[in-house]
Amino acid sequence: MKKRSNRGFSLVCCLLLLLLLCAGVTGFLSSTGLHRSAARQSLAKSVARSAAESAAAQAASLLAEKIAAAPDSATGWQRIRTPGTEDFYFEGTVLHLHPQASGAGPLVLPLVSRPDSSGDLLEEIPSSSGVQCLGMEPWTSANSVNLNRPLFRGDQQGWIGSPETSVQRPHPFRARWIELRSPQGAPPPPISARYAFWMEDESFRLHLNRIQRMPDDGTATTFKPPTMERGPEPHSPGIGPEEIPMLGLLAGMRSIRPTDRGPLAVELLTLRNAFPSGTIPEIRSFNYARSGRDQVLVGDGLRFLGTLSSSALNLSRHGTQRVNLNAALGLEEKEMDWTLYAPPTAVLQRQHRRLVETIRFHAPRFGQRFYRTTSDPDRESVTSAHQEVYLNKIAANIQDLIDPDLQPTLVDSAGHIVPPGRPEAPLNADAPDGHWAQGKDSTPCLQEAVVRLRSEASNSRYKLRVDYYLEFWNPTDRDIYVCVQPSLNEPHSVGPETFVKVSNQPAWISTPSGTPLRSTRPGGQAPVQSPARDIVIDLCSGVYAQGKPVPGGVCFRAGHATVITTDPDYLKPPEQKKLSPGFSGGYNLENIYFCSKLLKGTREYEGPIGPRGTAGIKPDFRDNTEDYDTEVLLGNLRGLLDSHPAAVAMGGGARVTRPGQSRDDWYGGSLLGNGITPSQTGDPRTNNEALRYTRFLPGASTTQPDQGRYFNTVSAPRFSLGHPNDTHTNPHLQHPWPDPYKGWNRTSTGTAKNPRIAPARVANGWTGADGRFRTGIPSIGLLGDVFDPARKSGTRGSLGIEGSRGGGRTLRIGQPDDLVRGSEPRAASREWAAWRMVDFFATRSQIELPGVLNLNGISRDNGFALRALCHGLSLNLEAQASRALEPTTGLRPLATQLPLDHAGPGLHRIIRDAIELLGSRGPYTGCFRERGEWSELPAFAADSETLFEGTRTSIVFDHAREELFRRTVELLTTRGNVFTVYCVGQAIVPPKSPTASIQILAEHWLKTTFALLPMKADGSPFGFATEDFNPDSPESVARRFTAPDYYDIRSLARSEP
Amino acid sequence: MNLLPAGFTLVETLVAVVLTLVLAGLMTRTVSDASALWRLHSARLDTFSEARAALQKISRDLASAQAFPEATRDMAVLCIRPHPQKAADAPPGLEFTLLAQTPASGQSDIRAVGYFCAWDSTLNGPVLRRQTAPAAATAEALRNLRPEEAHFFPWNLLPRDAPSEVLAQFAWDLRVQTPGPTGAPEPAGGLSFNRELPRWIEIRFKAVSPSALNSVGAFPQNALAWQTGPLGWGGSPLQRLLLRHTREFATRIPLVP
């Protein structure tokens, strides 16, 4: 039997053992591989996330650093292509840096990731062409990425959102990849990751939780229902973005039928109010509006246009916090009893100086507006003394515009506020105690004066009676009384014991040797100012109107001329005819008050007549040679209300020398709106101008300059006291002023006199719709109502000074300033533009202003946001004073309101103008640097008809023509402080060859919204809640006007789609 | 002459058999241990993957947490509370609910999201669960939110008996820390963040490999035993082996302050 071999058994055993070993090893290897794979995946994910986080952090820190270094930077919206690329370009937010110290040109910094050749981020891009802004080679699909990716299938908007006009859905917003190299590996280390970011200023968008938001302070009655457009004041005073109507938002959405907008606006507001605190948590919440009519998801349509987090900082271009005017003047917007407003002089002094120092810090050459002696607008020609005077005048005018009393602020020649007290003498340019400023308050202004001299001789004595007709104009929209009226709760009383004082009455000669009443000769000598020649007229008691006593005293009716007379015969027809014979019906008796009581002096004089008629009595007005500073003063126990120091009386006169002789002479004069010589323009240190007397002589020659100017119709006396057509200014004032300040009328024909071109003061507190009286100003645009004492060099006189009543108009805030040469970006004159003041003054102290709109984003959405902001605004062409004037002028009224329709041509032109301005190479170079530059829009120019179709802006009352600015300026900014950065990070394996493709291991998307908050070096928040700095301490001023030391980055929202 | 090859002697055969048995025994043990280890590692990997995925999901939700900084009245946007079922049938720990914004194709992106550890009777062990309210329901609840409910929102949106997904099996002891007044982490329990979120939030939970548990086969079958975790089980070496497969997972997520 053949024995079988067993050797195979061992082999099988060995194989089995090896198999088992292999299985074990395979298990280990598999486990290890899985571990490695999981670890790699996790690592790649972490790398991608880190890259995205790095992008967000880098974007935020870059922005914070740049803005801290350049506080006057602004953001704009720009599209930049590199050469040779059509489909790949940058479009988005750019930061315009304006280095102040170096004087270099503006730098443009696109807020997007962009490497230069060294791999570092570009720091500054000195280019306005845009091409260099993106750095290196053209953008391609390989080196850039579209960050506006759809969030879900069918998403037409994308992560960022898409403009309505875009043909690509979603609209591409691209950013450059920044490649990151691995920390390990042989040099050069391999690229292991990359990121990209794209950043946007949220203030380009409409804040959906702010628009048409009911106020929380119980004043909801001031807001109209959501279905209605905004109305005239006080419904929309221009306080904040809460006034933007929801209808304005919907009106710009083409996908919504016009008929659906009203109901939908109601639904949206109702929907929003249903959410906690009345705020929607996401833009898409608006999708729940029952918009089934159009099947439109409103929320999704607003992804590009709306935001839930936007704000701007209340900082000036210097980076300092704007000075809250209301706080600086102790008049935070609050309820108060205006009759108790009487701060101590020291307090007023400090408040006044705060304003002066604020202007001086931010615009050191602002005083170059005053008394200019050169026609070159960019040349400095004003002395430091005049500059100082100007700052004080402006500060006084601001104080008087805002404070609730009607008492003008008086600043002496040392810059000190004059303490309250009964004034003894008007301001006088020649007096040693001349004043720097008399503020323009809402007081009646003297604009025409007539003196009547009746003389008669009997036996050897003469009798002389002197009477006055003094016409005051109330340029405000409130009736002004001399006594407080219990039924009125707004400032309406000019104060206690109001009186009119006429000092230095015209002298007369009674004997060859003269009398103590005779004046000295003019020619620079000081006026006599003899108290014996002064009279003081009581306006409070002994007052009659149309023959009946007026117990309450004189009332200066709003917008009307009111005449104060001491002549008891003023009602007699002959006198009426003499006063205004050219007008049927004589003067307006309703507004003439006979004031019978003299507090001082007398109207009647008596004295001997010289022998043989060698002496008699006559007013000593020798033709054009005598200059008696007859001065008129309106005052009360607290001080001056109005003052005219140079009421010049000129002209000869006959005498009564024999018994039985009598004369009745009338001399009159009007506001000297424009001087022929500097000495006749009034005291440049005050807001006053000269008041020139001219004797009326029937048939007088027109060659006399005074008569030619004032009474050019010589066939009849043309006084016009109180005449209905003379409600605001002398209708005979026909001088064609070359003065760009225009005054109240610049027509050369003298035919088109329109009361609406006159200035007005309207602040001094106001009563809201709730009936409560408040102080402070709600909108900084109201600074446009401040009288501007600026005077411009001209061709006349030794100094070439031209001027008029306090400059004749208000500050040009809300319309182009003629002192500015607009075409030069860095023109010196732009430093003393009037609109600069709204950059460093504000009406509130909060450091963040939520919901305001960035004007520079107008090309981003083709004006959508601005249209919404302006939607429904009705421009009140007859604002304030002119409204009061209208019933008596009888002139054809302009349209009482001009609604700015969303799609209307007026608003369309404004937006077109703005886009063109921003695209030009003018002073803007892509962005407005400060909100005041909004004033320079061509639509606001005097020769424009954009705002008021068919009506030139030049004939529209200042307050009305600047109304759009005033009602929008608080809602506008030029740079926000809330930004959203869209980031993507990728962990990658770079291609092995040029033809190979990149391998993406992991990807992470991140969107963060953050705010830049100004901080102090010690880590505390930057900001000044009160304006209590000491203006006389340089250290205190310096502390107040510091810029933030740095900006803290506060994250507001974050999401990872 | 006998030309036939000589066979193995009995001794040789016996020695060979013994050696073979010894080797086979050794190999069997090795292979068995290797197999057990492989299973354990796989399970651990699964667990870690599961836990990591859970962490990522939590991170993503928290990173998209929605605050209401502009709200004028307090409304909870993040609630951290002790889990209500802990005493009865769940291990100790917290639960937290928040409002998160997660893009979706519906009409809204915001939804209430909650995380908690609960006892799973099917699994016979604790699990980490994620519960979400539909965006439409969240929006509806937000619109109709009554003031008295504001401090429990969005917790109220997530009833315990509503469906939820299991993120990680055998996960327990969910804990949350937020920065205290000094910025140092402090345990958060019974907190409700109104309008604004803490600067960051730290999430921790423990998890053990289910396979390892199955291998051990003797893990506690009731919630109370889990209250102290595997450390408290004491017991067998195998149970102590589980400790090697128990991990604490933690992450700190920066939030909108």
Side-chain angles (χ1 to χ4, degrees):
Chain A
M1 178 179 169
K2 188 177 179 181
K3 190 176 179 179
R4 296 180 59 184
S5 172
N6 293 326
R7 290 180 179 172
F9 176 72
S10 298
L11 181 61
V12 169
C13 289
C14 290
L15 289 175
L16 281 173
L17 286 173
L18 285 173
L19 190 63
L20 288 172
L21 281 172
C22 285
V25 170
T26 303
F28 277 122
L29 290 176
S30 172
S31 173
T32 307
L34 280 170
H35 272 293
R36 286 184 59 190
S37 171
R40 278 181 180 164
Q41 189 182 358
S42 180
L43 180 63
K45 190 73 184 168
S46 297
V47 167
R49 174 188 284 267
S50 298
E53 297 277 3
S54 298
Q58 189 173 38
S61 58
L62 173 75
L63 196 61
E65 178 191 339
K66 290 297 176 193
I67 289 179
D72 65 339
S73 56
T75 49
W77 181 271
Q78 207 165 337
R79 177 182 285 199
I80 302 171
R81 297 179 188 274
T82 51
T85 60
E86 288 299 325
D87 299 327
F88 304 104
Y89 54 86
F90 163 78
E91 184 178 13
T93 307
V94 295
L95 188 66
H96 291 260
L97 303 165
H98 302 271
Q100 289 178 319
S102 66
L107 307 173
V108 181
L109 187 69
L111 297 183
V112 66
S113 56
R114 51 192 202 294
D116 68 3
S117 54
S118 66
D120 299 325
L121 280 181
L122 282 179
E123 283 299 311
E124 294 167 346
I125 303 95
S127 166
S128 58
S129 67
V131 174
Q132 295 176 42
C133 299
L134 299 174
M136 38 194 290
E137 70 269 19
W139 288 21
T140 65
S141 59
N143 62 18
S144 67
V145 57
N146 176 17
L147 282 161
N148 195 25
R149 66 170 194 171
L151 292 177
F152 44 82
R153 182 185 296 273
D155 181 17
Q156 297 287 303
Q157 290 289 322
W159 199 18
I160 298 169
S162 297
E164 278 204 337
T165 53
S166 174
V167 292
Q168 282 183 274
R169 292 288 175 165
H171 185 79
F173 291 109
R174 304 192 72 85
R176 280 291 299 260
W177 285 114
I178 307 289
E179 294 174 337
L180 300 173
R181 296 183 180 275
S182 172
Q184 286 112 17
I191 293 169
S192 59
R194 63 181 180 177
Y195 68 76
F197 67 81
W198 184 93
M199 200 168 8
E200 187 177 26
D201 186 343
E202 287 292 310
S203 64
F204 292 145
R205 301 164 180 250
L206 287 165
H207 197 311
L208 300 179
N209 275 329
R210 289 275 169 181
I211 59 175
Q212 196 157 345
R213 185 173 184 80
M214 298 298 173
D216 300 322
D217 61 356
T219 58
T221 53
T222 63
F223 282 74
K224 293 195 170 187
T227 50
M228 296 179 67
E229 311 281 6
R230 283 185 291 186
E233 294 171 296
H235 300 291
S236 299
I239 296 173
E242 291 77 8
E243 298 168 14
I244 301 173
M246 188 64 80
L247 271 180
L249 178 78
L250 300 178
M253 298 181 71
R254 298 175 185 174
S255 53
I256 299 174
R257 285 199 299 258
T259 52
D260 287 344
R261 289 171 187 159
L264 190 54
V266 178
E267 287 182 26
L268 291 178
L269 289 173
T270 306
L271 179 70
R272 192 179 67 185
N273 288 335
F275 280 94
S277 301
T279 57
I280 54 171
E282 57 172 337
I283 295 175
R284 300 190 81 203
S285 292
F286 277 165
N287 284 339
Y288 289 101
R290 303 287 186 264
S291 56
R293 293 167 293 276
D294 286 329
Q295 296 298 314
V296 173
L297 291 178
V298 180
D300 284 343
L302 291 171
R303 202 179 300 171
F304 184 72
L305 304 165
T307 181
L308 300 182
S309 297
S310 75
S311 65
L313 296 175
N314 199 8
L315 302 181
S316 74
R317 278 171 54 179
H318 289 72
T320 69
Q321 185 176 351
R322 292 176 180 135
V323 171
N324 181 354
L325 265 181
N326 298 328
L329 298 178
L331 296 167
E332 290 275 23
E333 187 179 322
K334 60 187 178 185
E335 288 185 77
M336 71 173 292
D337 185 349
W338 67 271
T339 58
L340 301 178
Y341 177 81
T345 305
V347 173
L348 290 174
Q349 169 75 18
R350 185 164 286 202
Q351 293 171 349
H352 174 81
R353 295 268 303 121
R354 281 187 190 126
L355 304 188
V356 170
E357 293 306 318
T358 300
I359 300 172
R360 196 197 310 278
F361 174 83
H362 292 89
R365 296 188 288 177
F366 200 71
Q368 288 292 332
R369 301 174 59 80
F370 185 58
Y371 247 55
R372 296 184 59 77
T373 57
T374 172
S375 58
D376 182 354
D378 289 329
R379 188 176 150 203
E380 294 184 39
S381 63
V382 181
T383 66
S384 57
H386 273 153
Q387 291 191 56
E388 188 67 25
V389 167
Y390 185 74
L391 294 191
N392 277 274
K393 291 161 79 70
I394 285 288
N397 286 357
I398 293 174
Q399 266 183 305
D400 290 334
L401 176 84
I402 300 175
D403 67 23
D405 67 19
L406 306 187
Q407 198 75 39
T409 301
L410 206 57
V411 185
D412 67 18
S413 57
H416 296 142
I417 299 289
V418 176
R422 187 187 183 94
E424 291 302 323
L427 301 183
N428 193 316
D430 301 324
D433 60 345
H435 291 75
W436 275 358
Q438 178 200 353
K440 284 288 185 185
D441 215 317
S442 297
T443 52
C445 311
L446 183 69
Q447 66 171 2
E448 192 166 7
V450 172
V451 58
R452 181 183 189 187
L453 299 163
R454 283 178 280 190
S455 55
E456 61 181 39
S458 61
N459 299 327
S460 60
R461 297 184 69 78
Y462 73 88
K463 285 184 179 178
L464 175 67
R465 180 183 174 91
V466 184
D467 282 305
Y468 288 93
Y469 290 77
L470 302 171
E471 181 187 271
F472 291 87
W473 173 50
N474 174 2
T476 76
D477 64 341
R478 296 173 187 162
D479 293 344
I480 296 176
Y481 296 82
V482 293
C483 302
V484 173
Q485 306 295 306
S487 59
L488 300 177
N489 64 347
E490 288 184 332
H492 60 267
S493 168
V494 281
E497 298 190 21
T498 307
F499 62 89
V500 167
K501 181 176 184 177
V502 181
S503 54
N504 273 342
Q505 294 186 77
W508 55 89
I509 301 169
S510 65
T511 66
S513 59
T515 70
L517 302 179
R518 182 176 182 175
S519 75
T520 58
R521 289 280 178 177
Q525 298 178 45
V528 176
Q529 292 190 340
S530 165
R533 298 170 58 207
D534 296 351
I535 64 168
V536 177
I537 307 167
D538 187 357
L539 302 186
C540 302
S541 59
V543 177
Y544 297 84
Q546 301 189 71
K548 296 176 183 175
V550 183
V554 172
C555 170
F556 301 93
R557 287 185 59 202
H560 284 67
T562 297
V563 177
I564 309 293
T565 182
T566 61
D567 185 358
D569 302 324
Y570 77 103
L571 286 175
K572 294 178 180 175
E575 278 70 16
Q576 289 192 44
K577 192 174 181 182
K578 286 179 181 175
L579 278 172
S580 54
F583 301 109
S584 60
Y587 45 63
N588 188 349
L589 296 176
E590 189 182 350
N591 296 323
I592 296 187
Y593 292 92
F594 165 54
C595 297
S596 63
K597 184 177 172 185
L598 291 188
L599 297 173
K600 180 185 176 184
T602 177
R603 293 188 297 267
E604 297 180 343
Y605 302 88
E606 186 176 352
I609 296 178
R612 298 186 303 277
T614 54
I617 177 169
K618 72 162 187 176
D620 193 9
F621 299 159
R622 302 177 187 178
D623 293 348
N624 297 324
T625 57
E626 298 285 354
D627 184 356
Y628 299 97
D629 279 348
T630 298
E631 301 156 342
V632 180
L633 179 155
L634 178 67
N636 58 27
L637 291 182
R638 292 177 181 164
L640 279 172
L641 293 166
D642 195 21
S643 164
H644 287 274
V648 183
M650 286 186 281
R655 296 175 287 183
V656 286
T657 57
R658 291 187 300 276
Q661 278 189 321
S662 65
R663 293 186 61 85
D664 186 3
D665 291 311
W666 297 72
Y667 301 84
S670 296
L671 183 72
L672 183 60
N674 186 27
I676 293 178
T677 65
S679 64
Q680 293 172 331
T681 59
D683 183 356
R685 297 172 298 179
T686 75
N687 286 327
N688 286 322
E689 61 276 272
L691 188 72
R692 173 175 294 181
Y693 273 46
T694 297
R695 185 179 59 137
F696 164 69
L697 293 173
S701 167
T702 59
T703 58
Q704 288 192 25
D706 295 327
Q707 294 191 1
R709 286 193 62 225
Y710 292 103
F711 310 118
N712 57 346
T713 302
V714 297
S715 60
R718 295 302 300 266
F719 295 128
S720 57
L721 291 168
H723 192 274
N725 283 1
D726 187 23
T727 50
H728 74 287
T729 186
N730 188 333
H732 302 288
L733 186 63
Q734 296 179 14
H735 187 68
W737 295 349
D739 183 351
Y741 299 110
K742 299 180 183 64
W744 297 337
N745 193 347
R746 68 173 306 179
T747 172
S748 58
T749 62
T751 55
K753 301 178 184 64
N754 194 312
R756 296 172 188 81
I757 60 175
R761 264 84 49 78
V762 294
N764 285 107
W766 75 99
T767 298
D770 54 359
R772 293 181 295 181
F773 175 72
R774 296 182 178 86
T775 58
I777 52 174
S779 165
I780 199 63
L782 285 169
L783 283 184
D785 289 332
V786 171
F787 268 77
D788 185 5
R791 293 155 194 254
K792 185 177 177 292
S793 63
T795 57
R796 296 180 180 140
S798 59
L799 290 176
I801 301 297
E802 294 177 358
S804 57
R805 195 180 196 107
R809 53 148 295 108
T810 53
L811 282 170
R812 288 181 181 271
I813 298 176
Q815 55 178 309
D817 191 341
D818 287 351
L819 274 180
V820 176
R821 177 176 288 175
S823 59
E824 295 293 332
R826 280 174 286 168
S829 55
R830 297 186 72 78
E831 293 188 30
W832 53 78
W835 40 257
R836 287 234 54 210
M837 286 212 286
V838 302
D839 176 54
F840 46 80
F841 283 127
T843 55
R844 59 208 68 190
S845 296
Q846 65 196 84
I847 197 73
E848 278 190 284
L849 305 171
V852 294
L853 269 180
N854 191 336
L855 193 56
N856 296 325
I858 196 165
S859 60
R860 173 184 178 271
D861 53 13
N862 197 30
F864 179 94
L866 188 65
R867 286 174 199 268
L869 183 144
C870 295
H871 186 72
L873 271 182
S874 293
L875 300 185
N876 196 349
L877 300 193
E878 296 178 279
Q880 307 302 338
S882 62
R883 196 163 51 212
L885 288 170
E886 194 61 35
T888 55
T889 58
L891 299 177
R892 183 185 65 84
L894 298 173
T896 53
Q897 290 177 14
L898 179 74
L900 271 183
D901 184 64
H902 190 284
L907 194 51
H908 179 72
R909 288 192 205 111
I910 290 172
I911 290 170
R912 183 198 61 195
D913 287 350
I915 291 176
E916 285 181 3
L917 272 184
L918 293 178
S920 73
R921 286 179 170 272
Y924 310 104
T925 58
C927 73
F928 293 108
R929 294 163 72 182
E930 59 183 74
R931 58 183 180 177
E933 287 178 327
W934 174 233
S935 295
E936 297 202 318
L937 219 58
F940 301 147
D943 57 353
S944 168
E945 294 185 6
T946 299
L947 270 184
F948 314 103
E949 286 188 287
T951 302
R952 290 172 70 84
T953 310
S954 57
I955 69 162
V956 177
F957 191 81
D958 279 356
H959 192 80
R961 82 171 75 158
E962 294 169 351
E963 191 168 349
L964 181 59
F965 177 84
R966 189 174 60 257
R967 293 169 73 173
T968 55
V969 63
E970 295 279 4
L971 285 61
L972 294 173
T973 185
T974 55
R975 191 193 71 215
N977 74 316
V978 175
F979 294 82
T980 295
V981 56
Y982 301 83
C983 317
V984 57
Q986 287 182 346
I988 59 170
V989 175
K992 304 292 184 191
S993 67
T995 56
S997 59
I998 198 168
Q999 184 184 354
I1000 299 169
L1001 302 178
E1003 190 173 74
H1004 189 80
W1005 295 75
L1006 175 65
K1007 171 188 173 184
T1008 63
T1009 301
F1010 61 91
L1012 297 179
L1013 299 179
M1015 303 292 288
K1016 298 177 184 173
D1018 61 3
S1020 59
F1022 176 86
F1024 299 90
T1026 57
E1027 302 293 356
D1028 54 359
F1029 66 99
N1030 179 4
D1032 298 316
S1033 162
E1035 295 78 17
S1036 181
V1037 172
R1039 272 197 303 276
R1040 174 56 184 82
F1041 296 123
T1042 53
D1045 294 299
Y1046 69 96
Y1047 285 86
D1048 198 10
I1049 299 167
R1050 183 183 66 188
S1051 183
L1052 298 177
R1054 180 185 168 94
S1055 62
E1056 298 174 2
Chain B
M1 181 177 181
N2 187 0
L3 295 177
L4 289 174
F8 291 106
T9 64
L10 179 61
V11 173
E12 287 175 332
T13 304
L14 285 175
V15 169
V17 167
V18 168
L19 285 174
T20 302
L21 287 175
V22 169
L23 281 172
L26 288 173
M27 288 301 297
T28 302
R29 172 138 188 207
T30 303
V31 169
S32 173
D33 284 352
S35 174
L37 277 174
W38 183 82
R39 285 200 304 274
L40 284 172
H41 277 284
S42 295
R44 189 169 157 183
L45 192 63
D46 291 343
T47 303
F48 291 172
S49 298
E50 209 174 51
R52 270 197 293 264
L55 271 188
Q56 281 186 0
K57 204 146 198 169
I58 293 173
S59 299
R60 185 164 163 168
D61 285 341
L62 282 169
S64 301
Q66 173 75 41
F68 290 80
E70 294 198 2
T72 54
R73 75 171 199 230
D74 284 343
M75 186 197 71
V77 290
L78 172 66
C79 300
I80 305 169
R81 301 159 56 96
H83 193 280
Q85 300 174 3
K86 69 173 183 180
D89 58 356
L94 303 174
E95 64 172 356
F96 64 91
T97 53
L98 70 149
L99 288 173
Q101 193 169 11
T102 53
S105 58
Q107 287 179 282
S108 178
D109 292 341
I110 291 183
R111 65 195 66 219
V113 183
Y115 288 89
F116 59 94
C117 287
W119 186 257
D120 189 296
S121 55
T122 308
L123 187 68
N124 254 346
V127 293
L128 174 62
R129 286 186 172 274
R130 177 179 184 261
Q131 196 176 22
T132 58
T138 305
E140 179 73 17
L142 269 172
R143 291 202 299 273
N144 299 312
L145 187 63
R146 290 176 299 184
E148 61 270 23
E149 296 174 335
H151 291 287
F152 303 102
F153 192 83
W155 186 78
N156 285 344
L157 278 178
L158 301 169
R160 291 285 79 82
D161 53 353
S164 60
E165 58 176 322
V166 175
L167 290 186
Q169 298 180 34
F170 296 106
W172 73 100
D173 197 15
L174 177 64
R175 285 178 290 151
V176 180
Q177 288 188 314
T178 55
T182 62
E186 284 189 0
L191 284 181
S192 182
F193 290 90
N194 292 311
R195 293 188 293 177
E196 295 189 356
L197 295 162
R199 280 193 297 113
W200 49 259
I201 186 170
E202 195 173 271
I203 307 293
R204 293 174 177 273
F205 65 87
K206 296 190 178 84
V208 66
S209 159
S211 302
L213 285 171
N214 289 327
S215 301
V216 172
F219 61 89
Q221 302 284 322
N222 62 84
L224 290 175
W226 285 84
Q227 289 186 7
T228 52
L231 280 174
W233 299 345
S236 67
L238 283 176
Q239 287 179 338
R240 286 198 296 275
L241 180 65
L242 289 176
L243 294 177
R244 294 171 54 193
H245 303 286
T246 301
R247 288 287 183 272
E248 185 175 53
F249 295 87
T251 186
R252 179 181 286 191
I253 300 124
L255 299 179
V256 174

